Amino acid sequence: MNADLAALMQLLIALAFVSIPIVRHRFGPLATTAAQDELTRQGVRPEVLEENGLRFDASGHETWAPVSVGVVMIALAALNVAGSDWATTSTWIFQSLVIVMNGLILYSNLTAVSAVRAAFRRKGDPELARVDVPAFLKAAENAFPGWVRIQQNIRHAIVFGGSALALVAVSL
């Protein structure tokens, strides 16, 4: 029963992580357009986004990283359901990593303005140095539907809470 609870939490966590590229795939192009429009409003060429590799879609690591976490969580769920000897140790290792990774995701979301400002400075592009970063990020964020913010909070709750429950479940 405890292994089944751990597996259920791991499947929910897998779904939570896979939701990231799905949402970014669907609404990322709208966010990119909104960010480009904001740059134009600020008198900055919108092409600087592409020239500097700044994206709001589900390309690259925005897809492979969360999908990889989802695959690992599904594998852990399978180990737990199968009653594998590896299930407890693997759950402890990977759930702990997921907690840390999700903490880093949350931190990066909370510090996005300062991180983007620093990244723009590092690029050394004078156009990027002129960008009003809060307005730029707000324009991109506003292109996503309002429910996405709620979905992000639910995802964080599932990942943190589900990981804690999975760890408790395999420990009992």
Side-chain angles (χ1 to χ4, degrees), residues 45-107:
R45 293 179 312 108
E47 296 82 13
V48 298
L49 281 182
E50 189 173 330
E51 292 168 2
N52 289 283
L54 300 168
R55 308 184 67 117
F56 296 97
D57 62 11
S59 63
H61 79 279
E62 292 292 348
T63 294
W64 68 257
V67 168
S68 297
V69 171
V71 168
V72 169
M73 289 295 103
I74 291 168
L76 285 177
L79 288 174
N80 276 300
V81 169
S84 170
D85 293 338
W86 288 90
T88 300
T89 302
S90 297
T91 294
W92 269 99
I93 292 168
F94 290 107
Q95 289 302 156
S96 298
L97 288 172
V98 164
I99 290 170
V100 170
M101 285 188 301
N102 202 62
L104 292 172
I105 291 169
L106 185 57
Y107 177 78

Side-chain angles (χ1 to χ4, degrees), residues 135-153:
F136 164 74
L137 292 177
K138 188 69 171 164
E141 180 183 323
N142 287 343
F144 288 91
W147 59 261
V148 171
R149 168 98 35 218
I150 295 165
Q151 182 255 355
Q152 287 176 335
N153 292 335

